[in-house]
Amino acid sequence: MKHDPVYDEPELWILKNVGSFSFEFMGGGKAVVCGVDSENFSSVLGERACVGMVGGVVYVRGKISTYPKDIQCLELDEEDIKFIDGGLDEFLNRIERPELRGELTNWSAWKKLRPLTYEEKISQA
């Protein structure tokens, strides 16, 4: 995904898991991977997730096996929770699964992946 500032930031909502190379070269937008029925996977993001990611955010619920060293894995903050919670009802209603709301609002099960900024990369060198 990329974000053209002329348009609203794109969003991608996924109920279960994704395959390998997910969010490769992502340059903007927000992805929400809910991880429903994905407990048996070693990673809900598959292998080599977020390689080359330079922008955007990936919200993930479930196990993450690995991610590149230039990606940060963070706990959700208040703004992150507000974003997910604000879009969750519309997503679940569109896919006709509103009964999953309780399961998906256990915020401690979620993580946020984002690329390091240029300044953060320089300070690590």
Side-chain angles (χ1 to χ4, degrees):
M1 287 192 319
K2 308 275 189 273
H3 177 216
D4 182 341
V6 174
Y7 302 99
D8 290 338
E9 190 173 38
E11 295 177 18
L12 175 64
W13 290 71
I14 299 165
L15 180 63
K16 295 186 177 193
N17 62 306
V18 296
S20 295
F21 304 101
S22 58
F23 312 108
E24 185 178 40
F25 301 111
M26 184 171 169
K30 293 180 179 176
V32 181
V33 181
C34 297
V36 172
D37 296 331
S38 299
E39 297 80 16
N40 293 331
F41 293 101
S42 60
S43 175
V44 296
L45 296 179
E47 298 297 320
R48 297 187 48 83
C50 304
V51 171
M53 183 178 175
V54 295
V57 176
V58 178
Y59 296 106
V60 181
R61 184 183 153 274
K63 293 184 265 185
I64 306 168
S65 60
T66 61
Y67 49 88
K69 65 180 181 175
D70 61 348
I71 300 295
Q72 278 194 320
C73 183
L74 306 166
E75 300 295 324
L76 299 187
D77 63 26
E78 204 172 295
E79 191 172 308
D80 300 321
I81 293 170
K82 184 178 175 183
F83 168 74
I84 298 170
D85 194 46
L88 197 55
D89 287 332
E90 180 180 354
F91 171 65
L92 293 174
N93 286 331
R94 284 181 182 241
I95 63 168
E96 301 177 356
R97 297 294 303 272
E99 73 278 5
L100 295 173
R101 188 175 214 311
E103 177 183 341
L104 296 178
T105 54
N106 173 7
W107 305 118
S108 64
W110 289 85
K111 297 290 185 205
K112 172 183 178 177
L113 298 173
R114 73 157 182 87
L116 295 175
T117 64
Y118 174 77
E119 292 78 18
E120 291 168 331
K121 287 180 183 182
I122 295 299
S123 71
Q124 286 186 349

